[in-house]
Amino acid sequence: MLVRDAMSTVVLTIGPTHTLRQAATLMSARRVGAAVVLDPDGTGIGILTERDILNSVGLGEDPDSERAHAHTTTDVVFAAPTWTLDDAAHAMSRGGFRHLIVLERDEPVGIVSVRDIIRCWAPVRERPAATAQVPA
């Protein structure tokens, strides 16, 4: 199975000056765990995750004044729609992250998450439970 088969095409895109509260509100409304941060004048394409927001709030930072750019991961590993889910899982495991931005022709076309991969793999890997033997 390929990344294109598992990825979410609901891509929330925000700017670097959005506050963390604005980002969290948009992420919650769209029911997504990450936002693509587009900064054409700066770092290009980055990602802001729910964990980034949680870490900031946990440090006592104000989500109404903290800006996305200060919490965005800019050293991003991108996936291609033609990657296998194994390729995506290995990239996530090596990098220690749970989301990959999917690029096609240098444009974000989706996000694939660990949850997406598990959702696709679970039905394939489920095996019928063996019938339990009851001793006589």
Side-chain angles (χ1 to χ4, degrees):
M1 187 169 281
L2 301 178
V3 164
R4 78 165 52 102
D5 302 318
M7 72 182 189
S8 171
T9 56
V10 175
V11 180
L12 173 60
T13 304
I14 64 172
T17 59
H18 276 80
T19 67
L20 292 187
R21 184 173 309 278
Q22 289 171 323
T25 300
L26 292 167
M27 290 164 66
S28 178
R30 299 263 184 104
R31 300 180 51 96
V32 296
V36 174
V37 181
L38 293 180
D39 186 1
D41 299 326
T43 57
I45 299 173
I47 190 167
L48 179 73
T49 68
E50 56 199 356
R51 171 107 9 129
D52 298 323
I53 296 169
L54 180 67
N55 288 340
S56 175
V57 171
L59 290 171
E61 296 174 338
D62 180 4
D64 290 314
S65 61
E66 288 295 314
R67 301 293 171 176
H69 68 84
H71 302 278
T72 298
T73 300
T74 56
D75 185 19
V76 180
V77 174
F78 298 103
T82 55
W83 279 19
T84 66
L85 293 186
D86 280 334
D87 293 335
H90 287 295
M92 289 176 182
S93 178
R94 280 191 309 271
F97 36 78
R98 299 175 298 153
H99 299 86
L100 291 172
I101 298 171
V102 183
L103 291 184
E104 191 167 51
R105 293 190 268 322
D106 296 324
E107 293 294 323
V109 294
I111 292 183
V112 65
S113 69
V114 169
R115 181 177 292 169
D116 296 326
I117 293 171
I118 291 170
R119 180 180 41 81
C120 291
W121 278 351
V124 173
R125 297 186 180 195
E126 286 178 355
R127 299 206 190 320
T131 306
Q133 298 290 326
V134 178

